[in-house]
């Protein structure tokens, strides 16, 4: 019920340097945060606003079961379908439907810039 899923990935940025993004899926929403600055040596005494900047929130139709950050998109697995959400303009595209309610969504990001769903 209160399950939260989390993923992080270095993704695109305006310049050459890539930035770290963290996506959190809970209930019917996906929150994406951007890591601010360099790696902190001691996060124990830091406040969230000092380390993370909220990038965007994306409402989704069902509880996400899988999150994969890849470039400018996040791939989301639900019980009955897989979707791709573009992070900059929030456009949602249905990748495919599974045809039945799955217990678990399965996927992995491969090293050659491909996804296996």
């Amino acid at each position: 019920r209160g399950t939260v899923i989390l993923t992080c990935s270095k993704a695109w940025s305006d310049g050459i340097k890539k930035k770290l993004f963290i996506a959190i899926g809970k209930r019917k929403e996906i929150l994406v945060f951007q890591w601010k600055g360099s790696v902190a040596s001691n996060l124990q005494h830091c406040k969230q606003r000092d380390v993370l900047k909220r990038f965007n929130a994306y409402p989704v139709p069902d509880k996400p079961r899988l999150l994969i950050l890849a470039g400018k998109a996040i791939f989301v697995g639900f019980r009955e379908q897989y979707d791709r959400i573009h992070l900059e303009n929030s456009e949602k595209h249905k990748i495919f439907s599974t045809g039945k309610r799955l217990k678990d969504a399965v996927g992995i990001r491969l090293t050659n810039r491909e996804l296996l769903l």
Side-chain angles (χ1 to χ4, degrees):
R1 278 202 128 120
T3 305
V4 174
I5 59 174
L6 175 83
T7 186
C8 64
S9 175
K10 280 190 171 182
W12 91 100
S13 72
D14 305 356
I16 296 170
K17 224 166 121 180
K18 292 185 175 183
K19 303 206 176 175
L20 181 67
F21 286 86
I22 299 167
I24 301 168
K26 185 176 180 184
R27 295 187 185 145
K28 293 186 176 190
E29 184 177 46
I30 298 170
L31 299 170
V32 178
F33 295 90
Q34 181 182 344
W35 188 270
K36 290 168 55 175
S38 60
V39 177
S41 59
N42 186 358
L43 294 175
Q44 198 170 20
H45 303 293
C46 294
K47 294 181 180 175
Q48 178 188 340
R49 69 175 179 266
D50 296 333
V51 179
L52 297 174
K53 177 175 91 174
R54 186 170 173 165
F55 182 75
N56 208 346
Y58 305 93
V60 290
D62 193 8
K63 182 171 101 176
R65 309 243 176 228
L66 168 81
L67 294 177
I68 299 174
L69 276 167
K72 295 182 181 184
I74 186 164
F75 293 84
V76 187
F78 301 105
R79 283 185 185 230
E80 297 178 351
Q81 70 186 41
Y82 288 85
D83 289 352
R84 178 177 59 86
I85 301 172
H86 195 278
L87 294 176
E88 290 179 314
N89 59 20
S90 302
E91 286 182 6
K92 295 177 187 151
H93 297 282
K94 185 176 180 180
I95 299 173
F96 65 89
S97 178
T98 60
K100 59 182 178 177
R101 292 180 68 85
L102 298 175
K103 184 175 182 180
D104 296 316
V106 180
I108 188 168
R109 184 176 173 193
L110 304 174
T111 57
N112 59 354
R113 299 180 68 172
E114 295 179 347
L115 268 115
L116 180 62
L117 299 174

